[in-house]
Amino acid sequence: MFKKDFKSLKNQVPLRASDLKRLRQALMDRFQLSSEDGELLVPSGLLAAKFTTNADVAGMGYFDSKGLPLWFHIGSSSTDHSSFTPTVYTLWKRVFLPIVTTPQLVVDKMKQGADLMAPGVVSIQASHNASLPLSTGQLVCVAPYSGGLQGVPMAVGTMNMSSTEISTADKGKAVLTLHAYGDSLWEKGGKADPPKEIVVVQAIQVAAQSESVQSTADQQQPASIQSTIEENKEDVIQPQASTSTQDTVSPAEVDKILRAATLFALHAKAASIELPCSASAFYADSILPFRPAGLDPSIYVIKNSSFKKLKPFLKALEKEGVLKTKEMGGELHLMAIDSTHPDLQGAAKYRTIADDERKEAKARAMEEIQAASPKAMTVTELYKPVGSVAIFCKSISPDCGPHFTIVELRDEVLSKYITEHNLVHPTERAYFKVDETLKPMLLKKNESQEFLKRDEGLQRLAAACQAWYQIEQEGHPPELSKGKLHPIAITIKMRQGKKAVTLITNFEPFHFIADSMAEDLRKLCAAQTSVSPLQGKANQLEVMVQGKQGKIVTDYLLQRGVPKKWIEFEDTTEKKKGK
């Protein structure tokens, strides 16, 4: 809305005391704010100024005595308090809206006026006055999410779909942006930078508090491990408020979270954990990433548990028979895992911090690729007649150029010649007679066929021409190239007897650069990639991605505009299994 500078912004006029009091009380009631928060967010000396955006949208902005824009509304009515929207400056003082998180790269796009798309949503967090699921039209703020940590609000908008719909949507707008850090409204506040920390408003604790508000406050207390896991079974996760402190979580609660994460990790990764494994590596690579998504990662760590240190925690699991440990070189190592243990077999499955980080990384990578992706490419196979074939084609269609598409070769040359010389088979119209002119072009030296099927005749005529092709795509000038164009080949093979890899070849004609492709796929697949010369093929390269990544690579090529017809996939490992 404020992507470009205001078309007009009137002088700021102080609000009358009665209007200020009425506005403050209305916003306190609407957002369930305390008197203290009301004074802070709707301060005395508030100034109002009418504006018109660059898109001719009229509204009113409300500024504090220092010129910071705190609130705005669209339309001429200043008495409809339900239309008032806080700015990021207001939310940096107190966060009282539900928080939607997304990768920093997406936040940067929102600064430029973009809306938040559903695939870019990492998490959705309820507020003290709005519980999940959120409905369409709900006012929310958007904050960056990185490395398990949530940043400060950087945009304000309205939900374009419910949080339940977002959890299953792979396209569409999730949040419509009204205002964001970096836009023209933010600039009116002196371009102040966001704070490092935020304060999230909690439910008002008063004796006259309603039952519904009290219930919301109760729900903010630390839940049991089972309820935390149940919440995180949903795709839309529900992280704790960023102001949670260690004092609100008991050591026993941390014990439960870490134990559940350990059991889930052992159940999911037992086959891939290389033993012996140091306790510290197991903790960092398996336990911490498998903590339930949405919890404050700074709280649910071993130092805040009743064990205080990792060794007694793992020894307790060893006593239960889940695993075995041994001191080696002065450090505890994990030596064995009992994958048949009932606790591992029955380990709860839920959305983890690692899941969120992978989703964030993929969303960020897809945003980068989509931003850089050109439009769909058009691939045209062409045929250039040479020698006697060129003389023949020129005699039939003197106005045609040196290159023919397969349709032009059929309609403007072969079919035209067959019709003009009455060569259609008397009973089978799909066949035509091969006369003395056509014989040298369509028949082999020792062949003596009197009739050919039209399709076969067309293929033989095309084979007598030189193969050319042209690829057209925005950002690349159309260029004729000689030779037969082959599809981009995606092949899954086994390397070293047990490791599956995905190999991509024949991509050079389609405007791909090997190193750039490898980097894109490294991010998308979260796997190692490499580029090497293609054996037996001069001037051709091969991009390798670890693991079976056929679908991701195919989607990547389609996203970059390659027609599906020009992508060829083969999984040689599946063939071996079938033998």
Side-chain angles (χ1 to χ4, degrees), residues 43-61:
S44 299
L46 202 64
L47 306 170
K50 293 182 179 180
F51 64 74
T52 302
T53 70
N54 186 266
D56 288 325
V57 177
M60 184 86 76

Side-chain angles (χ1 to χ4, degrees), residues 203-216:
I204 305 172
Q205 301 294 326
V206 294
Q209 188 176 33
S210 69
E211 182 179 348
S212 62
V213 174
Q214 183 61 52
S215 174
T216 303

Side-chain angles (χ1 to χ4, degrees), residues 246-274:
Q246 182 180 337
D247 295 337
T248 64
V249 180
S250 67
E253 185 68 24
V254 177
D255 292 350
K256 292 176 183 178
I257 292 289
L258 293 180
R259 187 177 189 278
T262 305
L263 295 177
F264 189 6
L266 290 173
H267 175 75
K269 297 180 59 178
S272 61
I273 297 175
E274 295 186 6

Side-chain angles (χ1 to χ4, degrees), residues 149-313:
L149 298 177
Q150 173 192 298
V152 302
M154 301 296 278
V156 186
T158 57
M159 298 284 285
N160 191 50
M161 57 178 73
S162 70
S163 56
T164 304
E165 292 172 322
I166 293 173
S167 68
T168 57
D170 56 3
K171 61 181 180 179
K173 294 180 179 181
V175 178
L176 302 178
T177 305
L178 297 176
H179 154 63
Y181 170 84
D183 66 15
S184 59
L185 181 59
W186 166 81
E187 289 181 348
K188 299 304 176 184
K191 303 181 180 181
D193 291 327
K196 294 183 178 180
E197 297 180 354
I198 55 173
V199 177
V200 177
V201 174
Q202 305 298 314
I204 305 172
Q205 301 294 326
V206 294
Q209 188 176 33
S210 69
E211 182 179 348
S212 62
V213 174
Q214 183 61 52
S215 174
T216 303
D218 292 341
Q219 291 173 5
Q220 293 179 348
Q221 299 304 315
S224 67
I225 176 61
Q226 189 58 39
S227 63
T228 302
I229 290 171
E230 288 298 323
E231 289 173 359
N232 283 284
K233 285 181 179 178
E234 299 296 329
D235 285 338
V236 179
I237 58 175
Q238 306 175 33
Q240 299 285 329
S242 61
T243 53
S244 296
T245 63
Q246 182 180 337
D247 295 337
T248 64
V249 180
S250 67
E253 185 68 24
V254 177
D255 292 350
K256 292 176 183 178
I257 292 289
L258 293 180
R259 187 177 189 278
T262 305
L263 295 177
F264 189 6
L266 290 173
H267 175 75
K269 297 180 59 178
S272 61
I273 297 175
E274 295 186 6
L275 301 175
C277 172
S278 70
S280 57
F282 176 65
Y283 178 67
D285 298 338
S286 299
I287 299 179
L288 294 182
F290 273 78
R291 291 172 294 176
L295 297 180
D296 188 336
S298 66
I299 294 176
Y300 293 90
V301 292
I302 197 68
K303 69 178 182 179
N304 294 334
S305 70
S306 62
F307 297 95
K308 302 302 180 186
K309 293 186 178 181
L310 187 58
K311 181 176 179 179
F313 174 72

Side-chain angles (χ1 to χ4, degrees), residues 476-541:
H476 298 276
E479 182 179 338
L480 281 171
S481 300
K482 184 179 178 180
K484 182 173 177 57
L485 181 64
H486 296 280
I488 299 177
I490 306 171
T491 309
I492 297 178
K493 293 183 178 181
M494 298 299 291
R495 288 278 175 91
Q496 300 175 351
K498 61 178 180 178
K499 291 185 179 180
V501 295
T502 303
L503 307 173
I504 306 100
T505 55
N506 299 337
F507 52 82
E508 287 90 349
F510 297 86
H511 305 145
F512 286 97
I513 299 173
D515 290 338
S516 297
M517 176 187 283
E519 178 61 17
D520 288 343
L521 294 176
R522 181 188 66 79
K523 296 175 183 177
L524 284 174
C525 302
Q528 290 185 353
T529 60
S530 64
V531 177
S532 58
L534 184 60
Q535 291 185 357
K537 301 282 185 175
N539 302 320
Q540 281 191 258
L541 298 173

